[in-house]
Amino acid sequence: MALSLFVAGAIPAGAQAQADAPAQVAIAAQPLGQALHTLAQQTGLQLLYAPAVVAGKQGPAVSGSMAPRQALAQLLAGSGLVVVPQGRALVIKPAEAAVPQSGAETTLVPVTVQADALRESASGPVGGLVARRSATATKTDTPLSETPMSVTVVPREQIVAPGR
């Protein structure tokens, strides 16, 4: 299936700043393809879209002094289309099915997570660089947070870690 694109308007090199400046826009309610073409002529925006994307859609009336992209947003409001910047052009595409329709249910695939728990003991191994248990101060397997004195443990992993 061939995809044909309609290119409306053109932004000369270095004119991007002008495209963001407010412009006088006067677009009557009309088919969306014609409204986009009129917007491109009035503002200099370069719009790319497949004719099938805008077929059968109606563009609302938009008028006043506004930034061209603001006028474009008003034209596309409620159409199910989004604007994606691509270089100096703006590509108009159908919005992905990001929001399920009201009343529609979405079923997610179950996710099962399995892991082997590494039980740290006073005699090792240490899971990472910070020990949580030690037998140094109490001569028993006691969590460091319950030891009534300051204990510093330097695990083997920290000693042999590269760059230290």
Side-chain angles (χ1 to χ4, degrees):
M1 177 173 121
L3 175 67
S4 60
L5 291 178
F6 177 78
V7 179
I11 299 177
Q16 185 64 33
Q18 293 175 356
D20 294 330
Q24 192 62 36
V25 177
I27 301 170
Q30 56 189 318
L32 186 57
Q34 291 175 1
L36 291 170
H37 183 73
T38 303
L39 175 67
Q41 287 179 329
Q42 291 179 9
T43 62
L45 284 179
Q46 183 177 8
L47 304 175
L48 303 172
Y49 57 88
V53 169
V54 296
K57 297 186 185 297
Q58 191 69 15
V62 176
S63 64
S65 179
M66 63 186 78
R69 290 181 192 215
Q70 182 183 7
L72 180 59
Q74 288 183 21
L75 278 177
L76 297 179
S79 68
L81 301 175
V82 294
V83 178
V84 179
Q86 186 172 350
R88 290 192 176 119
L90 299 173
V91 179
I92 299 170
K93 298 180 178 184
E96 299 295 320
V99 180
Q101 297 188 6
S102 61
E105 292 184 16
T106 302
T107 304
L108 300 176
V109 178
V111 176
T112 305
V113 178
Q114 296 179 350
D116 294 330
L118 177 62
R119 284 236 182 238
E120 184 177 321
S121 70
S123 59
V126 174
L129 297 178
V130 179
R132 289 176 177 66
R133 303 184 75 82
S134 176
T136 302
T138 62
K139 306 295 183 209
T140 62
D141 188 0
T142 307
L144 289 172
S145 61
E146 295 177 15
T147 304
M149 58 179 50
S150 176
V151 177
T152 302
V153 178
V154 181
R156 171 188 288 268
E157 290 84 0
Q158 189 173 4
I159 294 171
V160 298
R164 293 203 173 241

